[in-house]
């Protein structure tokens, strides 16, 4: 079974801890990593990629020191190593223009406003990981018990 990773980034430790706690049910089959800056995310992604691991999803806050979440997700979307990596923007402070840029430039897959609902972020991350597994051509049977059944059924029908 290939190792799948989800990376969460937020400069506020309490928010980051809340996201990590919400994703805890996925720890059975995913490695969920936390970072406090965009630069830390890029370094971690380079390290994981060098080790042959998969970065299935990046969940990013928008307003952070240095690079914003939109800038980070745009940079990820332009890196050919991460063409299948799914991206979520999680913020309470993005403007309408920021959100449009995130969709058009960063190719985000989902947007959550703070505060979010735990069940919603868990379901979306599970669905996006399922899409990643299929889009990346991984053997879904290794993860079958943990993937989103509806997304998996739709992908198998196609």
């Amino acid at each position: 079974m290939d190792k799948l990773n989800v990376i969460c980034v937020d400069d506020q430790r309490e928010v980051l801890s809340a996201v990590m706690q919400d994703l805890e049910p996925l720890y059975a089959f995913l490695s969920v990593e936390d970072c406090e800056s965009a630069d830390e995310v890029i370094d971690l992604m380079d390290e994981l990629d060098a080790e042959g691991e998969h970065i299935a999803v990046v969940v990013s806050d928008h307003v952070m020191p240095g690079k914003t979440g939109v800038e980070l997700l745009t940079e990820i979307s332009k890196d050919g190593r991460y063409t299948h990596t799914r991206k979520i923007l999680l913020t309470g402070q993005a403007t309408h223009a920021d959100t449009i840029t995130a969709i058009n430039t960063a190719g985000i897959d989902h947007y959550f406003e703070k505060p979010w609902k735990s069940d919603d972020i868990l379901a979306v991350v599970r669905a996006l990981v399922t899409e990643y597994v299929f889009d990346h051509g991984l053997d879904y049977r290794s993860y079958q018990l943990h993937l989103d059944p509806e997304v998996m059924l739709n992908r198998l029908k196609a």
Side-chain angles (χ1 to χ4, degrees), residues 75-88:
E75 185 175 336
I76 291 168
S77 71
K78 291 179 178 180
D79 190 322
R81 297 174 294 172
Y82 310 118
T83 56
H84 298 294
T85 299
R86 304 299 190 209
K87 296 168 289 298
I88 296 174

Side-chain angles (χ1 to χ4, degrees), residues 36-153:
E36 294 185 21
S37 73
D39 289 337
E40 191 180 339
V41 171
I42 296 301
D43 291 344
L44 178 59
M45 291 179 76
D46 288 342
E47 180 182 316
L48 293 172
D49 181 65
E51 294 171 1
E53 296 187 21
H54 298 275
I55 297 109
V57 178
V58 175
V59 180
S60 180
D61 181 30
H62 176 55
V63 179
M64 298 183 290
K67 290 180 192 163
T68 67
V70 172
E71 291 168 336
L72 169 64
L73 297 176
T74 299
E75 185 175 336
I76 291 168
S77 71
K78 291 179 178 180
D79 190 322
R81 297 174 294 172
Y82 310 118
T83 56
H84 298 294
T85 299
R86 304 299 190 209
K87 296 168 289 298
I88 296 174
L89 186 65
L90 172 69
T91 188
Q93 298 182 27
T95 66
H96 186 69
D98 291 333
T99 306
I100 291 169
T101 301
I103 293 166
N104 292 338
T105 307
I108 64 167
D109 297 284
H110 206 88
Y111 175 90
F112 282 103
E113 285 189 4
K114 295 176 184 176
W116 65 92
K117 293 181 181 174
S118 299
D119 291 344
D120 291 346
I121 197 166
L122 178 63
V124 167
V125 170
R126 185 185 309 273
L128 293 176
V129 168
T130 304
E131 290 177 7
Y132 177 89
V133 166
F134 279 88
D135 288 348
H136 208 279
L138 302 177
D139 183 0
Y140 74 91
R141 294 171 296 185
S142 303
Y143 311 99
Q144 192 167 349
L145 295 174
H146 307 287
L147 298 177
D148 182 290
E150 187 175 325
V151 173
M152 199 166 61
L153 184 61

